[in-house]
Amino acid sequence: MTKTCDAIIIGTGQAGPFLAQRLAGAGMKVAIVERNLFGGTCVNTGCVPTKTMVASAYAAHMVRRAAEFGVVGDGSVSVDMKRVKARKDAVSGQSRTGVEKWLRSMTNCTVYQGHARFESSNTVSVGAERLTADRIFINVGGRAVAPQVPGIDGVPYLTNSSIMDVDSVPRHLIIIGGGYIALEFAQMYRRFGSGVTIIGRAPRLARQEDEDVSTAIREILEHEGISVRLNATCIGFSKRGGEIVAQVECASGDREVSGSHLLLAVGRRPNTDDLGLTNAGVAVDKRGYIAVDDRLQTSVPGIWALGDCNGKGAFTHTAFNDAEIVGANLLDNDPRKVSDRITAYALYIDPPLGRVGLTEEEVRKSGRRALIGRRPMTKVGRAVEKGETQGFMKIMVDAQSREILGAAILGTGGDEAIHSILDVMYAKAPYTLIQRATHIHPTVSELIPTMLGELQPLERAEK
Ligand SMILES: Cc1cc2nc3c(=O)[nH]c(=O)nc-3n(C[C@H](O)[C@H](O)[C@H](O)COP(=O)(O)OP(=O)(O)OC[C@H]3O[C@@H](n4cnc5c(N)ncnc54)[C@H](O)[C@@H]3O)c2cc1C
């Protein structure tokens, strides 16, 4: 028998549940389907558990540094990974059960557990059940990919999901990849006590960032004893004794890296290959991301795609914003769109990187007349007081309109302080607005006006 509803939502990640609440609240009969863990990646294997573990790693780091602050102990630190994991599981579990309870108690909303698959453009099967609706919302997220390298199937490897089950400190963790996920795990495990080697194919870490940011990140990690191998391609994996060996092709350095554990952090792919999208006629791009317009409508009217699976963002806040955009267009007669969104994200190494808008490189390439301000964290009082002076901040503004084009704060509190810049960018106000605000002392944010008072012309890229 086919059940008819007003809306079907596939996936309970960062867009689905909020959208369910909006649609059900407007009186629609909503069906929401989840095949695995409620809350999706962020809650179970992404943001929430990693940031919980980053907090444990920070605690270990500060205990090691205690004497610098005049705090006396015996200086030894040992990390009980079972307790780290238990803390992480508790925080993550609370979030997961919160999402499930919320959905199950939602008026007008029915939860279905199982794998959803399109049978046609308005019908979805979940096991033996068939659901039909004129509006279907896809929020299926993505998963880690494993590189097709000889020997990969012959060695045990971890991904961001399976590493969540590790309850001992790896003796030596090899990490393949130099992006955000790789870097967060690298520093956290180093602080737990593991030896860590990062093997990255690109010439620098976090390669989307400006070179000065990448260099500073590398220095921060190497300072803690993490070995970084760049311009290196893994050409094979094997086992030797109890060790995992990565064979590396590179211009310099050892041709082999061996370790006790291997983490693959080389990228993600959308969960769209097993969704029956062809039965519905929904178009995807070459990499499997669902093609959407500026209001997240797919190639088929009545079907929308939200979150990581549409390739328009890879963050929890972008997935959530997708739900806001769809809800506003459908229910509020408010034409919100994806292109209104300003790029913003953080990298949660310590100190963190907060980023908004264009990079310096992108501003140069745009050819516009721009100004740039920079300040090292050694010249930020709050950072000095906390003994956390690594990193720097910089901001780029348009010389003519005086609007802010982009900024990076790699430094203590950078993930929070960046928001005053982001909000002014959303307001489309000139940077002088920040200069005229009286910021609280002592904070990282109080130096943003100072930095803006020292702007210099930015050289344009040669054409
Ligand atoms: C290690 C790591 C750390 C991260 N840290 C951050 C961070 O600090 N900040 C940040 O903003 N982002 C972070 N992210 C990214 C963030 O987790 C994702 O961008 C976010 O979870 C995307 O949400 P989503 O709703 O698109 O999909 P997901 O959260 O992946 O949810 C999709 C859901 O759909 C379900 N599903 C899939 N297919 C089907 C089907 N056919 N039928 C039924 N259900 C299905 C899945 O089981 C899943 O529950 C991190 C990611 C990783 C991997």
Side-chain angles (χ1 to χ4, degrees), residues 10-17 33-48 50-51 112 114-117 139-143 160-161 164 181 184-185 268 271 274-275 306-309 313-320 345-346 348:
I10 306 174
T12 65
Q14 296 307 302
V33 192
E34 176 53 59
R35 71 176 178 190
N36 191 9
L37 300 174
F38 286 85
T41 306
C42 180
V43 162
N44 297 289
T45 58
C47 340
V48 176
T50 53
K51 270 78 251 182
Y112 292 84
H115 179 89
R117 215 184 130 75
N139 177 219
V140 292
R143 61 184 187 274
N160 71 287
S161 298
M164 292 297 149
I181 293 173
E184 291 181 10
F185 279 115
R268 297 178 65 75
N271 291 324
D274 51 1
L275 202 50
L306 302 86
D308 284 11
C309 68
F315 299 102
T316 282
H317 45 278
T318 50
F320 186 79
Y345 53 86
Y348 291 92

Side-chain angles (χ1 to χ4, degrees), residues 30-101:
V30 176
I32 189 162
V33 192
E34 176 53 59
R35 71 176 178 190
N36 191 9
L37 300 174
F38 286 85
T41 306
C42 180
V43 162
N44 297 289
T45 58
C47 340
V48 176
T50 53
K51 270 78 251 182
T52 307
M53 291 167 81
V54 161
S56 292
Y58 182 70
H61 180 64
M62 290 312 279
V63 174
R64 286 189 191 100
R65 291 188 62 198
E68 285 177 49
F69 297 84
V71 178
V72 183
D74 70 4
S76 67
V77 176
S78 76
V79 172
D80 182 343
M81 273 305 284
K82 287 196 171 40
R83 283 163 67 179
V84 170
K85 180 175 177 299
R87 178 174 180 275
K88 179 267 293 177
D89 288 344
V91 173
S92 186
Q94 198 174 21
S95 210
R96 178 171 57 249
T97 48
V99 173
E100 181 171 359
K101 275 189 197 152

Side-chain angles (χ1 to χ4, degrees), residues 203-247:
R204 50 196 173 85
L205 298 177
R207 66 177 162 176
Q208 302 88 327
E209 304 303 334
D210 284 321
E211 198 158 349
D212 53 357
V213 174
S214 285
T215 304
I217 290 171
R218 181 175 182 166
E219 282 166 8
I220 288 164
L221 298 181
E222 287 186 329
H223 183 71
E224 295 190 21
I226 294 168
S227 171
V228 178
R229 300 286 306 275
L230 296 176
N231 286 314
T233 308
C234 268
I235 51 169
F237 292 101
S238 56
K239 270 207 314 226
R240 189 179 303 145
E243 293 283 278
I244 300 166
V245 181
Q247 282 98 35

